[in-house]
Amino acid sequence: MWAELLCGLVIYKLFRRFFYDDDVLELDTSDSNSIFSVADRIEKLFGGKVYVGLQIPDADTGSRQNIDMVLVTKGEAMVISVKNISGSVSFDADGSWVCTGANKHKAERHPDPVVETKKQVAILESYLEQRGVALPEGYLSWKVILPNPNFCPINSNYFPSEVITYDQWIQLKPEPKSMFSGWMKGAFRAGKKEMQESINEKLNFILSTAPMWDRLELKGSKFILGEFLEFKGKQEDTQALRNIRRSKVSRLIIQKTSMFGLAHSKLQVLYSPRDYRTEGASASEWKEVTVRSSTEVLFQPQYSTKVRKFKLSSISSVSLSA
């Protein structure tokens, strides 16, 4: 019996060694996944363009303000915070949210997302002005979306209308006129079409070139926001990848070149040269290099002080910010 258990443990360790990256197993990607899930649904329901994982410079503090996403549609824009909070939620005297239950060992405290998001709006407006775009009053608004089905507020009357609970979130449907238009204050009206298009074009350009977190997509459609650091592996592999730097490359796609994913299999890394004039690259512009699947990526997730290692075999793609 003990021999069988030992044999099973050895097989399990080998299976993990060849097919999984320990950091992938240990890393909680639920928050990042919820952000990308919300962004994808918003684009499908209401059109426009969603910019995810922004790091907007704050002139007052000299630091960068993290913004989950900004939606830009015709004649309007919206800062959206996604809070993947679960459990019973009460509200403290200072405005913070206190979460209990949902398998939590102790209560979790979260700064008031409403206050945080309003601050993000002010910082974004200031940043846009610095880059030459002064938005009309009411053009930029905000929302806090709570997409976790296990979120249970003790007093929902506490929420302002800008907070979208899970029950409201799942009931959203596309409308002839953008749902978000009803939440805007003083958005442009007919007769100002050229001005709308001009501002919309400038907004899309500025946000597409604004500082953003790098994006790591793992197998199984799991996303991680953070900072790409470097490649680690055999010297000939890291040498082959030497041209992949954020100043020159915007996106990587990893593909297998062998039928069976053992440690000695090879991976094909396709990378897109950065072009600041357009988004992405045509198929003819993609370049490729082949390396061992044991090659690793060093990546520091958002809000984490720990640098993680991911095998290329566990990664689908990497998007690098400018």
Side-chain angles (χ1 to χ4, degrees):
M1 176 179 177
W2 287 107
E4 293 174 352
L5 290 174
L6 182 60
C7 182
L9 180 61
V10 170
I11 293 174
Y12 171 71
K13 290 288 187 181
L14 289 173
F15 188 82
R16 276 175 51 124
R17 171 65 179 85
F18 288 130
F19 293 98
Y20 292 95
D21 181 3
D22 285 344
D23 273 338
V24 175
L25 292 172
E26 296 170 1
L27 187 64
D28 181 5
T29 62
S30 57
D31 288 344
S32 291
N33 288 337
S34 64
I35 290 173
F36 282 98
S37 177
V38 168
D40 183 63
R41 185 163 186 246
I42 285 176
E43 283 191 337
K44 289 179 179 177
L45 286 175
F46 309 109
K49 173 68 176 177
V50 174
Y51 298 90
V52 178
L54 294 162
Q55 290 185 290
I56 301 301
D58 182 356
D60 292 335
T61 64
S63 59
R64 292 184 176 184
Q65 174 68 54
N66 296 321
I67 297 180
D68 289 340
M69 67 185 74
V70 176
L71 167 69
V72 178
T73 59
K74 292 183 179 179
E76 55 195 44
M78 178 174 289
V79 172
I80 300 175
S81 293
V82 180
K83 298 301 178 183
N84 186 39
I85 298 174
S86 63
S88 298
V89 179
S90 58
F91 310 102
D92 213 340
D94 63 359
S96 59
W97 294 13
V98 182
C99 304
T100 56
N103 300 320
K104 293 179 173 63
H105 298 294
K106 62 179 181 179
E108 294 180 354
R109 299 179 67 87
H110 301 269
D112 187 344
V114 172
V115 174
E116 284 190 328
T117 309
K118 287 181 179 179
K119 178 182 177 183
Q120 293 171 7
V121 171
I123 292 173
L124 179 60
E125 283 184 319
S126 176
Y127 174 73
L128 293 173
E129 288 179 3
Q130 291 173 16
R131 295 194 61 177
V133 178
L135 298 179
E137 183 179 355
Y139 200 99
L140 182 62
S141 63
W142 60 275
K143 286 290 173 184
V144 175
I145 296 180
L146 308 168
N148 195 313
N150 295 318
F151 178 84
C152 182
I154 293 177
N155 181 11
S156 59
N157 293 328
Y158 174 86
F159 297 136
S161 59
E162 288 83 3
V163 175
I164 308 302
T165 63
Y166 173 75
D167 290 339
Q168 294 170 318
W169 171 242
I170 61 175
Q171 293 175 13
L172 293 185
K173 296 180 180 179
E175 299 177 6
K177 186 178 181 181
S178 170
M179 175 201 67
F180 291 113
S181 297
W183 294 336
M184 299 295 170
K185 297 179 180 178
F188 282 160
R189 295 293 183 253
K192 299 184 179 179
K193 183 177 180 181
E194 291 184 2
M195 190 180 297
Q196 287 185 38
E197 291 178 348
S198 175
I199 291 180
N200 190 73
E201 183 179 346
K202 290 178 181 178
L203 267 179
N204 281 304
F205 174 77
I206 290 174
L207 293 175
S208 67
T209 57
M212 293 185 181
W213 288 104
D214 297 330
R215 179 187 311 176
L216 197 68
E217 181 179 358
L218 305 176
K219 304 293 185 183
S221 298
K222 294 181 178 180
F223 295 92
I224 306 172
L225 292 172
E227 182 181 2
F228 168 84
L229 300 176
E230 61 178 328
F231 294 103
K232 287 289 186 180
K234 298 291 185 180
Q235 183 176 359
E236 61 185 275
D237 292 324
T238 56
Q239 184 67 14
L241 296 165
R242 67 187 183 281
N243 290 326
I244 299 180
R245 299 192 297 271
R246 70 174 64 253
S247 61
K248 295 183 176 182
V249 173
S250 60
R251 182 172 168 81
L252 289 68
I253 296 177
I254 293 85
Q255 300 177 337
K256 287 186 178 181
T257 61
S258 62
M259 296 298 293
F260 195 67
L262 295 177
H264 298 294
S265 65
K266 295 286 187 176
L267 294 175
Q268 183 184 51
V269 179
L270 304 176
Y271 60 96
S272 168
R274 186 177 298 282
D275 186 347
Y276 293 95
R277 299 167 299 175
T278 60
E279 292 187 24
S282 64
S284 61
E285 293 175 321
W286 287 90
K287 298 182 179 180
E288 63 180 74
V289 62
T290 301
V291 297
R292 293 175 178 84
S293 62
S294 58
T295 306
E296 296 175 326
V297 167
L298 295 190
F299 195 87
Q300 184 163 356
Q302 181 184 21
Y303 306 123
S304 174
T305 58
K306 181 180 179 182
V307 174
R308 301 276 186 166
K309 295 187 298 183
F310 299 91
K311 290 188 178 69
L312 278 182
S313 56
S314 69
I315 298 172
S316 296
S317 68
V318 181
S319 297
L320 301 177
S321 64

